[in-house]
Amino acid sequence: MESGTVASGVGAGRSGPQRPAGESARATAAASGVTGLLRVPVPVNEPVRSYAPGSPEREELKSRLAEMAESEADIPIVIGGEEIRTGDTGQVVMPHDHQHVLARFHRAGADEARAAIEAARAAWSEWSAWDWQERAAVFLRAADLLAGPWRATVNAATMLGQSKTAHQAEIDSACELVDFWRFNARFAAEIYENQPSSSPGMWNQTDYRPLEGFVLAINPFNFTSIAGNLPTAPALMGNVVIWKPATVSLLSSYYVMRVLQEAGLPAGVINFVPGPSRVVTGPLFESPALAGIHFTGSTGVFQTLWKNVSDNLENYRTYPRVVGETGGKDFIVAHESADPAALAVAIARGGFEYQGQKCSAVSRVYVPDTLWDDVRERVLAIMEDIEVGDPTDFRIFMGAVIDEEAYDKITSYIEYARESDDLEILSGGGASDVEGWFIQPTLILSKDPRSRLMCEEIFGPVVTLHVYDADRWTETLERVDDTSPYGLTGAVFARDRAAVREALSRLRNAAGNFYVNDKPTGAVVGQQPFGGARASGTNDKAGSRLNLLRWVSPRSIKETFAPPTDWRYPFMKEK
Ligand code: NAD
């Protein structure tokens, strides 16, 4: 990988239509000539802006929201840098005002999927051979464009299209995606730096090759940052990508694609192919060039994708890397030494922010009977103050859930609770889909620690809580561990250190992201690499070196400087 030589400054200062990787490289091959073991700038987490009254960012965001709400975007397919409009269109609406059409998008079909394979293959030979610093420069430039001139646009698209508040959009579509791009460049450099030792007379090297083929990236609706990271993490490592975005969150995904184009990403490196998922992905699974899947979404869909890969296994040129971060049934378990005020805030923020539609959202809670009255009073008081509505009204804490299907699924769990003798709705339970898909924050008491609502992922603003006998702490930890099939996030609240230690130990495999006296949401890139095992995924930790390692296929090179010229070994000689 020794690439201290920078061949060009390709694309880093250019916007406009994408050029092929080859053309870009040729156009600027002689331009730079910079020689040195270059270091990626040390990343720091992008500061979260407050959007407080009177702040400049608030004014800018509000005016972008107004402009975007008044217009209807036209979202094309982007293949090989070309915008394609099939004329077979669908709509993107506001979840909190579902008659309001934000955008029309052009659906790709099997033909476009096959064209994307060709475009990706055409880009592969040049892009996979680019110096890694050149690739990193594209994504570092994208990070600065997003942090600066594109910030209000991508945040506004996330607020309107995914029903996020200004704060939830800011921490997702601005800060987390900027962090992914900046930190991943640094993590890539750390991977490349990792070289083997060499005995005298030789030089051993590791060549971190991109995968031979294309990577299929498929994102969920709930995080713009995840949508942006899934195609770009493999691309940073020299891979070409076909990105099948989620339909409901297409508006913000499209603007992320625009940022990448403006950052100088060569044509064909990431191909943006919205459309019906089975139709679009069918030809991709059948292609011998499928080299990897980078997925985030539900457990069931991930299992389908893995089966699709195994059904075609003998056709592939190389075994595809299958990386997926999936569902969760995230918990808080409180010890009797927990601080009730901190616990109540963690339940409310962790359970209801972004309408509980975070894979890490608190969904099941275990509270000792000795604390219950106090905690109950505090949580219910917070819930009374939470307002649900249009997130462009900045006083609102919760917007709408993403679509009708989500609304129906979540409300069916609430109905089930209403009819069950084991479950009692303590607060919330109301819902209306007249204007937007609104569901009140809902707290449900479960007598049975293994009721359906304590086990299944609901993915909405519903927290189910079980009150346990404070003397049964150890038994409760065992229950937390074996109640659900997932292993994504979890938290323990305790002031007693022995209780913290016991929870850390007994719940070691219950969560890939574990929190002590904090809510189990809000992982920050570079600080708490994110992902879980069991039914929650392959735990390849988005935004870390571990994830980037999945997108390279190392080649070991041994060069001997003065190879032997006599075939006989010394031991074969006569005395
Ligand atoms: P989803 O599984 O319904 O959809 C995810 C993506 O898969 C979408 O782009 C969808 O179009 C596509 N898809 C659906 N069926 C497909 C098929 N048969 N073939 C190919 N693609 C297909 O998930 P969602 O509702 O968008 O997101 C919510 C889920 O994502 C929750 O389960 C949540 O826990 C999970 N999630 C997990 C993480 C994590 O890091 N673990 C992060 C965010 C979301």
Side-chain angles (χ1 to χ4, degrees), residues 510-544:
N513 281 61
F514 194 81
Y515 294 77
V516 179
N517 292 320
D518 204 345
K519 65 182 169 53
T521 59
V524 173
V525 176
Q527 299 196 38
Q528 300 98 21
F530 193 79
R534 295 186 180 167
S536 293
T538 53
N539 198 15
D540 286 296
K541 297 292 186 206
S544 81

Side-chain angles (χ1 to χ4, degrees), residues 79-101:
I79 296 175
E82 300 289 328
E83 294 191 349
I84 294 168
R85 290 179 169 78
T86 55
D88 173 12
T89 58
Q91 295 179 346
V92 179
V93 302
M94 289 186 196
H96 45 273
D97 180 5
H98 49 52
Q99 295 309 302
H100 190 133
V101 178

Side-chain angles (χ1 to χ4, degrees), residues 434-516:
V434 177
E435 199 176 332
W437 294 293
F438 294 112
I439 300 179
Q440 281 179 349
T442 300
L443 185 68
I444 297 173
L445 188 66
S446 177
K447 282 187 217 151
D448 178 0
R450 292 186 195 278
S451 67
R452 239 185 98 196
L453 270 69
M454 292 295 283
C455 303
E456 295 175 15
E457 183 181 52
I458 300 172
F459 218 60
V462 179
V463 172
T464 311
L465 187 146
H466 174 70
V467 179
Y468 71 90
D469 178 347
D471 292 334
R472 302 194 159 197
W473 166 243
T474 300
E475 201 181 302
T476 301
L477 293 178
E478 282 163 8
R479 193 92 329 113
V480 173
D481 186 47
D482 67 15
T483 291
S484 111
Y486 299 104
L488 194 53
T489 77
V492 61
F493 276 75
R495 283 181 279 209
D496 175 344
R497 192 68 211 174
V500 172
R501 286 186 58 219
E502 189 177 353
L504 279 167
S505 161
R506 289 192 188 275
L507 299 175
R508 193 170 186 206
N509 293 308
N513 281 61
F514 194 81
Y515 294 77
V516 179

Side-chain angles (χ1 to χ4, degrees), residues 64-72 94 100-102 160 392:
R64 199 69 192 95
L65 283 165
E67 282 165 18
M68 216 176 266
E70 273 167 25
S71 55
E72 198 178 286
M94 289 186 196
H100 190 133
V101 178
L102 274 172
L160 297 178
T392 60

Side-chain angles (χ1 to χ4, degrees), residues 218-223 226 244-248 275 277-278 281 285 295-302 304-305 308 324-328 357-360 402 457 459 488 530-532 536:
I218 304 179
N219 69 278
F221 75 83
N222 64 338
F223 276 91
I226 296 177
K244 205 298 290 166
T247 301
V248 281
S277 41
R278 280 199 189 81
T281 60
F285 281 104
F295 174 80
T296 301
S298 61
T299 301
V301 170
F302 185 51
T304 304
L305 304 184
N308 291 347
E325 297 305 331
T326 61
Q357 297 174 118
K358 299 187 182 188
C359 47
S360 53
I402 194 70
E457 183 181 52
F459 218 60
L488 194 53
F530 193 79
S536 293

